[in-house]
Amino acid sequence: MRNFILAALLIGATTTLKAQQEISYEVSFPNAVHHEAEVSMIIPNVPANVPLKVRFARSSPGRYATHEFGKNIYNLRAFDANGKSVALKQPAGDVFEIAKPSGKVKITYTIFGNWIDGTYAGFDEAHAHMNIPAVFAFPVGMDKRPRTVKFSYAGKADWKVATQLKPIGNGVYYAKDFQYFMDSPIEIANYKNASWEVKNADGKTQTIHLAAHSDDDEMTVFNYTNMLKKVVDEQKAVFGELPNFDYGHYYFLHCVHPSYAGDGMEHRNSTVIVQRTPKIAGNESNLLGTFSHEFFHAWNVERLRPKTLEPFNFTQSNISDELWLAEGFTQYYGNLTLKRAGFRTLDNITRTFNG
Ligand SMILES: [Zn+2]
Ligand SMILES: [Zn+2]
């Protein structure tokens, strides 16, 4: 019994320690009609006597160039544990510094987002579409700390969240560290969800989801999922197994509208696919190309990964000599598996390979 109590105390202490380390965000959309979101970030246990630097990212995984994400941020303020305003310096456009932080610091800011793709963010009446590096500030030097994020979307009763972040209840989503958080795009919308289960070589069952934010009926999304299944099965056959998705789920986050920017961006347990057609209906076969490419990345670049991209550096462009393998083979097998699944002819895909 004594050992039990000791163990319980130790577990309690570890949990408390973890909770004290956790960086927690809250995001709301009171002015979505003007493409704004409000973000707050609480950093507990900030080391004393060292200036605290908070900054925005300049790059995003899978997009091998720099982006000044901080340019879309304004009204940034800092507060201490008592809610008292704290003085900030701004040594660079996207870097903020508190000279003498107290134990707990809260940062709040407004972000403008009106570019729907796999890199930036967009907020409007239809959805909140977020690539994490484009939205979330982070404290420098705390990459190991877990993150939580909670969203408020009062007045949007039909919105729901789709993301590879781990849901931990009460509308809170969790990432074990900075790298996983930054790799986890989020779509909040009245999307249609279709999912299916896949059994892996080791007998483990996982679920693949299509969150389709489009002007389509349930039947179209369901039928499209059946096409997608065939592509996934062909890709499983290439490797002999599907990846072991971190929480047993993989998400296709799909936004479809002619006004959006077309894009596809791979992540570890999800992909963001933005397509510029009016609907999925009538365009199914064409749209599948990006799905096939991005899903192939779940292995090739996400798990078979150039060393040069680990860990990803969010403050500069990430130079790698191995992208011919990451992108070239993905492009090749993306098309080949479409042909094997019956959605392209040999002639179709050889023309693609010719450029
Ligand atoms: Zn959307
Ligand atoms: Zn690619």
Side-chain angles (χ1 to χ4, degrees):
M1 183 56 87
R2 204 174 143 215
N3 284 348
F4 170 77
I5 291 169
L6 188 63
L9 282 174
L10 280 173
I11 289 167
T14 318
T15 314
T16 314
L17 196 65
K18 258 190 197 154
Q20 286 168 352
Q21 293 295 314
E22 197 170 276
I23 295 163
S24 51
Y25 298 91
E26 283 193 26
V27 188
S28 59
F29 315 98
N31 197 19
V33 70
H34 291 131
H35 311 293
E36 285 182 343
E38 299 297 324
V39 183
S40 79
M41 167 175 68
I42 293 175
I43 314 163
N45 274 323
V46 176
N49 306 319
V50 188
L52 170 68
K53 252 187 203 165
V54 167
R55 66 163 303 145
F56 291 88
R58 297 184 63 233
S59 60
S60 184
R63 193 111 291 162
Y64 304 100
T66 44
H67 299 268
E68 306 298 338
F69 293 121
K71 71 189 172 191
N72 292 324
I73 308 301
Y74 37 93
N75 296 335
L76 191 137
R77 295 190 181 95
F79 304 90
D80 67 13
N82 301 316
K84 219 180 111 201
S85 198
V86 175
L88 277 168
K89 279 195 288 182
Q90 192 173 359
D94 53 2
V95 181
F96 298 83
E97 197 175 290
I98 299 171
K100 286 188 180 143
S102 65
K104 183 166 110 177
V105 171
K106 181 179 181 179
I107 305 283
T108 64
Y109 57 91
T110 305
I111 169 172
F112 174 85
N114 192 24
W115 190 254
I116 316 299
D117 70 350
T119 307
Y120 285 88
F123 312 101
D124 54 41
E125 290 299 288
H127 62 174
H129 176 92
M130 287 169 271
N131 185 41
I132 304 301
V135 177
F136 291 86
F138 58 92
V140 174
M142 300 187 189
D143 293 4
K144 291 250 167 6
R145 291 197 186 196
R147 264 71 173 162
T148 60
V149 57
K150 188 172 182 164
F151 305 98
S152 309
Y153 37 94
K156 303 281 185 192
D158 52 5
W159 278 17
K160 47 195 187 285
V161 178
T163 177
Q164 67 173 33
L165 291 168
K166 187 183 180 190
I168 55 170
N170 291 328
V172 180
Y173 294 82
Y174 168 89
K176 65 180 175 11
D177 57 21
F178 172 66
Q179 289 283 330
Y180 191 82
F181 182 61
M182 293 296 255
D183 185 51
S184 302
I186 300 157
E187 168 77 1
I188 312 179
N190 178 22
Y191 58 81
K192 293 185 177 67
N193 189 54
S195 60
W196 74 98
E197 293 197 335
V198 284
K199 204 166 197 179
N200 224 348
D202 60 0
K204 193 181 159 197
T205 300
Q206 308 191 90
T207 310
I208 301 186
H209 305 258
L210 168 64
H213 178 213
S214 71
D215 185 21
D216 288 286
D217 57 29
E218 296 276 356
M219 190 48 84
T220 301
V221 174
F222 177 78
N223 289 339
Y224 189 59
T225 308
N226 281 334
M227 295 171 78
L228 210 46
K229 258 186 216 176
K230 291 184 183 163
V231 179
V232 166
D233 286 347
E234 288 301 336
Q235 296 199 358
K236 182 182 170 189
V238 170
F239 290 101
E241 60 182 325
L242 289 173
N244 205 349
F245 300 120
D246 292 59
Y247 300 110
H249 296 268
Y250 181 90
Y251 299 86
F252 289 98
L253 308 177
H254 193 200
C255 286
V256 181
H257 196 273
S259 70
Y260 298 165
D263 202 3
M265 182 48 66
E266 69 276 8
H267 297 277
R268 201 171 150 78
N269 302 297
S270 61
T271 174
V272 169
I273 296 176
V274 180
Q275 291 174 313
R276 308 187 61 175
T277 55
K279 289 170 174 242
I280 296 173
N283 301 294
E284 288 89 342
S285 183
N286 269 344
L287 300 187
L288 269 184
T290 308
F291 281 76
S292 186
H293 178 100
E294 301 308 333
F295 191 72
F296 200 84
H297 272 314
W299 270 121
N300 191 30
V301 93
E302 292 300 336
R303 287 166 176 84
L304 306 169
R305 189 160 175 81
K307 237 180 165 176
T308 42
L309 297 179
E310 281 295 314
F312 196 83
N313 187 332
F314 287 89
T315 64
Q316 62 179 53
S317 61
N318 287 245
I319 304 297
S320 168
D321 286 334
E322 297 82 23
L323 292 184
W324 62 273
L325 181 68
E327 288 301 334
F329 273 57
T330 298
Q331 189 61 12
Y332 174 76
Y333 276 103
N335 277 296
L336 187 64
T337 48
L338 278 179
K339 195 250 166 211
R340 287 178 178 170
F343 300 117
R344 296 286 187 276
T345 63
L346 185 60
D347 195 41
N348 288 151
I349 64 163
T350 43
R351 255 185 282 135
T352 315
F353 297 148
N354 277 339

